[in-house]
């Protein structure tokens, strides 16, 4: 029996762009023709093309290095989970659960969801694997695709990628501070200028008292609110603070602020977090309206926003997170404090492109292998492997036949040496080494060529071959 959920029912109707491409086929027309309409991507989904991978790898590599430096262990989690995991954690009244989840029944009729975020999954995994019995804090990081049926626009996709960090088991403010510093460090290493927007939403108890006050305030102005904010006022009043509506924004000036409702312990926690991050000169801004779009937070909440060159105007958050001390308990685990954040990779890659920050160049290959004929190709395949094992990057153009075209490719790559192998050399068991700078050529024993090239490269100033993946110009 297919299971229907509220979220599935409320999913917006597909727009005309989203409908499957159809093509009218005349009666008797070959049914193959139906297939010929070019396939289209779903709206909000995108390919990450080879030419974009440089910046993507730059982000992934930077994140991995920072994660290792701060002793976070990697965790990989399923993309598909039981949908109730997200209903119970992110919260029923949130936009993500109400409108954006990809929920469907799997073939056995179970309600499942493509994960809209990964914190709930990490928390599930922490409980499932008894990580509470490990030395605390348990510090985990992850990367991967997330899915939200959001309205696509610049920097907002339906499949997007996050890298995330979660720390379980310690409720000290230093944990929140260190996570914020770690996040800022990633942006610094990438060359992006960010500031941290920060707030505290206290414990559920102080939030409860604050919400009563907030609702009373906005009820007086209910008639001025837009439909969305009227709905928020009823279902999830804290989200009113996040409204983009101009009238609500004006009303917010006179609204009660959550910081005034924090109990002593929450205040102390927050002050310490601020002191710590101030100490290490993290640029931050207190934002009393920052509440975040997920229900599981308590105490510190924060977002990383870009400081644009044009005088500090911020745009979409590049990442966000906070403390979520109640989440493990809400999922049935033993009460465990936790804190974390996630960054949106698409938004970071876009910011890098806008700031014209190029990823570090892939090291140039030092040697090019040029061949003439199939016998030479066969030897070439073996030689290529020998060079790779010796840690010398070799480029080739096995797909090209003419020597002239291959030498042109070698020139374009700016290699130091080209190895030339023709039929005669294959028969003689030799190979020609051509110095691309001087044009000098020498014939050497094919069995010794790796060794000879190694020596030549060592003697060339500033050339220190490292192991890396070979480049192909085929
Ligand atoms: P979030 O604020 O929903 O938090 O998402 C984190 C980041 O993911 C956002 O700041 C944004 O950069 C990116 N992002 C979100 N939605 C989209 C989208 N539709 N398209 C492109 N990028 C997007 C969380 O997901 C929490 N799990 C963070 C966290 C971890 N809290 C504690 N631990």
């Amino acid at each position: 029996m297919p299971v229907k959920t509220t979220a599935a029912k409320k999913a917006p109707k597909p727009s005309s762009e989203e409908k499957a491409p159809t093509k009218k086929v005349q009666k008797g027309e070959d049914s193959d023709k139906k297939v010929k309409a070019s396939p289209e991507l779903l709206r909000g989904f995108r390919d990450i093309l080879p030419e974009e991978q440089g910046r993507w790898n730059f982000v992934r590599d930077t994140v991995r290095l920072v994660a290792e430096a701060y002793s976070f262990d990697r965790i990989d989690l399923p993309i598909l989970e039981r949908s109730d995991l997200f209903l119970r954690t992110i919260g029923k009244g949130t936009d993500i659960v109400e409108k954006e989840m990809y929920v469907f029944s799997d073939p056995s009729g179970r309600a499942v969801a493509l994960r809209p975020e990964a914190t709930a999954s990490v928390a599930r995994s922490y409980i499932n694997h008894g990580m509470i019995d490990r030395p605390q804090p348990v510090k985990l990081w992850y990367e991967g695709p997330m899915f939200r049926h959001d309205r696509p626009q610049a920097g907002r996709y339906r499949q997007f990628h996050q890298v995330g960090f979660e720390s379980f088991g310690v409720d000290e403010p230093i944990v929140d501070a260190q996570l914020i510093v770690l996040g800022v460090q990633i942006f610094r290493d990438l060359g992006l200028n960010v500031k941290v927007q920060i707030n505290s939403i206290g414990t559920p108890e102080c939030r409860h008292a604050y919400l009563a006050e907030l609702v009373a305030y906005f009820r007086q102005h209910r008639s001025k609110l837009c439909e969305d904010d009227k709905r928020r006022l009823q279902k999830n009043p804290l989200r009113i603070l996040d409204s983009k509506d101009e009238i609500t924004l004006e009303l917010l000036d006179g609204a009660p602020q959550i910081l005034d409702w924090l109990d002593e312990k929450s205040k102390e926690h927050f002050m310490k977090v601020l002191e710590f991050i101030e100490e290490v000169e993290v640029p931050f801004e207190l934002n009393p309206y920052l509440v975040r779009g997920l229900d599981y937070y308590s105490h510190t909440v924060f977002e990383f926003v870009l400081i644009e060159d044009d005088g500090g105007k911020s745009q979409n958050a590049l990442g966000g997170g906070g403390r979520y001390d109640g989440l493990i308990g809400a999922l049935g685990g033993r009460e465990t404090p936790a804190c974390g954040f996630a960054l949106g990779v698409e938004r970071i890659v876009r910011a890098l492109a806008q700031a014209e920050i190029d990823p570090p160049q892939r090291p140039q290959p030092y040697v090019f292998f040029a061949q003439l004929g199939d016998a030479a190709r066969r030897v070439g395949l073996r030689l290529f492997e020998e060079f790779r094992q010796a840690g010398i990057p070799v480029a080739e153009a096995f797909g090209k036949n003419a020597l002239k075209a291959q030498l042109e490719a070698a020139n374009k790559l700016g290699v130091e040496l080209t190895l030339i192998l023709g039929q005669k050399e294959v028969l003689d068991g030799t190979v020609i080494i051509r110095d691309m700078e001087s044009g000098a050529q020498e014939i050497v024993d094919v069995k010794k060529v790796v060794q000879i090239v190694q020596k030549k490269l060592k003697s060339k100033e500033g050339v220190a071959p490292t192991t890396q993946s070979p480049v192909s110009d085929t």
Side-chain angles (χ1 to χ4, degrees):
M1 255 273 281
V3 181
K4 279 189 184 156
T5 69
T6 340
K9 261 191 237 164
K10 287 193 176 166
K13 277 186 184 169
S15 69
S16 55
E17 302 162 69
E18 294 175 276
K19 288 178 188 153
T22 47
K23 196 176 166 209
K24 279 195 178 163
V25 178
Q26 297 283 310
K27 255 193 181 169
E29 212 179 325
D30 190 341
S31 62
D32 272 354
K33 286 196 180 149
K34 268 190 215 160
V35 183
K36 285 195 179 153
S38 55
E40 280 175 36
L41 259 176
L42 286 169
R43 246 188 116 207
F45 287 70
R46 62 189 292 268
D47 301 320
I48 305 159
L49 298 172
E51 54 270 30
E52 299 172 82
Q53 295 291 339
R55 286 206 176 94
W56 277 77
N57 280 337
F58 183 33
V59 177
R60 292 177 186 127
D61 293 348
T62 306
V63 167
R64 187 175 52 77
L65 288 176
V66 174
E68 283 166 7
Y70 284 78
S71 307
F72 276 74
D73 293 319
R74 168 135 186 168
I75 185 163
D76 286 295
L77 303 146
I79 285 168
L80 203 61
E81 295 264 11
R82 287 171 185 260
S83 54
D84 72 335
L85 173 70
F86 303 112
L87 305 187
R88 287 166 65 191
T89 53
I90 298 171
K92 286 200 177 111
T94 58
D95 282 355
I96 297 180
V97 164
E98 268 206 341
K99 304 191 280 204
E100 298 170 2
M101 282 233 291
Y102 281 87
V103 185
F104 54 95
S105 300
D106 75 3
S108 54
R110 183 169 291 139
V112 293
L114 290 175
R115 62 179 184 194
E117 60 111 46
T119 308
S121 302
V122 186
R124 175 199 50 67
S125 181
Y126 180 88
I127 298 170
N128 290 164
H129 298 281
M131 292 191 208
I132 195 152
D133 297 325
R134 299 184 189 179
Q136 307 291 304
V138 170
K139 293 159 74 176
L140 303 169
W141 77 281
Y142 52 85
E143 65 177 338
M146 310 291 155
F147 301 84
R148 296 183 194 173
H149 196 270
D150 213 343
R151 189 180 313 150
Q153 50 185 271
R156 198 172 284 281
Y157 300 98
R158 290 181 174 168
Q159 176 177 333
F160 60 97
H161 295 74
Q162 283 186 347
V163 292
F165 292 79
E166 316 287 354
S167 174
F168 295 93
V170 175
D171 62 4
E172 294 292 329
I174 187 78
V175 172
D176 317 26
Q178 203 192 23
L179 279 158
I180 293 171
V181 173
L182 184 159
V184 169
Q185 203 51 53
I186 291 175
F187 289 109
R188 281 193 181 143
D189 289 357
L190 288 170
L192 288 173
N193 211 357
V194 296
K195 69 179 170 206
V196 177
Q197 300 243 341
I198 191 165
N199 192 19
S200 171
I201 55 167
T203 60
E205 292 73 38
C206 40
R207 208 152 54 238
H208 193 72
Y210 166 70
L211 281 178
E213 203 67 18
L214 187 73
V215 170
Y217 171 80
F218 274 105
R219 279 225 176 106
Q220 298 166 28
H221 304 283
R222 196 173 183 281
S223 57
K224 296 183 210 154
L225 296 179
C226 66
E227 285 312 307
D228 251 6
D229 285 341
K230 277 184 189 151
R231 203 171 44 84
R232 283 176 171 151
L233 188 62
Q234 205 171 3
K235 286 197 155 177
N236 197 348
L238 206 56
R239 298 290 298 160
I240 277 216
L241 301 186
D242 215 17
S243 173
K244 305 282 178 284
D245 185 77
E246 271 185 28
I247 293 173
T248 309
L249 286 176
E250 269 173 35
L251 289 172
L252 273 175
D253 279 343
Q257 294 199 353
I258 187 138
L259 287 174
D260 297 328
W261 294 82
L262 296 186
D263 57 33
E264 281 312 308
K265 249 182 124 183
S266 301
K267 254 187 224 161
E268 198 189 324
H269 183 100
F270 190 44
M271 287 308 142
K272 281 192 178 159
V273 175
L274 297 183
E275 275 167 30
F276 284 132
I277 60 172
E278 213 163 13
E279 178 74 30
V280 284
E281 291 169 23
V282 164
F284 73 86
E285 201 172 84
L286 214 66
N287 178 352
Y289 305 125
L290 182 69
V291 286
R292 313 263 309 125
L294 307 101
D295 277 357
Y296 48 62
Y297 293 112
S298 53
H299 297 289
T300 325
V301 286
F302 55 89
E303 280 183 357
F304 300 99
V305 294
L306 204 60
I307 304 172
E308 287 180 335
D309 293 333
D310 63 6
K313 216 179 86 210
S314 65
Q315 56 159 39
N316 273 340
L318 298 181
R323 186 159 272 288
Y324 50 96
D325 290 346
L327 184 65
I328 299 277
L331 280 176
R334 210 186 314 154
E335 291 294 335
T336 307
C339 191
F341 71 86
L343 307 179
V345 184
E346 278 79 0
R347 291 190 190 173
I348 297 177
V349 168
R350 188 162 159 259
L352 287 172
Q354 279 171 350
E356 294 179 12
I357 297 172
D358 288 321
Q361 286 296 305
R362 195 151 46 144
Q364 285 298 308
Y366 304 113
V367 180
F368 188 90
F369 180 81
Q371 39 62 39
L372 288 163
D374 275 346
R377 277 197 180 104
R378 262 197 300 281
V379 179
L381 276 178
R382 201 188 63 230
L383 263 185
F384 188 86
E385 194 49 31
E386 283 174 25
F387 274 101
R388 194 187 64 79
Q389 283 177 10
I392 303 173
V394 178
E396 42 74 21
F398 284 137
K400 291 191 166 81
N401 288 320
L403 184 63
K404 188 165 170 256
Q406 295 183 63
L407 288 179
E408 270 169 18
N411 262 327
K412 226 163 80 186
L413 285 168
V415 295
E416 305 278 330
L417 304 170
T418 296
L419 309 177
I420 304 169
L421 197 70
Q423 251 168 5
K424 180 173 182 316
E425 287 74 30
V426 173
L427 290 175
D428 294 350
T430 57
V431 59
I432 300 169
I433 303 179
R434 181 186 170 94
D435 187 308
M436 296 301 280
E437 210 182 309
S438 66
Q441 297 198 163
E442 66 180 294
I443 299 170
V444 302
D445 184 344
V446 72
K447 291 198 190 87
K448 295 190 183 142
V449 67
V450 175
Q451 242 178 321
I452 296 169
V453 167
Q454 238 160 2
K455 260 196 205 150
K456 278 185 185 293
L457 292 177
K458 259 188 208 149
S459 69
K460 283 194 183 256
E461 218 187 0
V463 176
T466 48
T467 310
Q468 61 147 57
S469 44
V471 180
S472 170
D473 189 40
T474 312

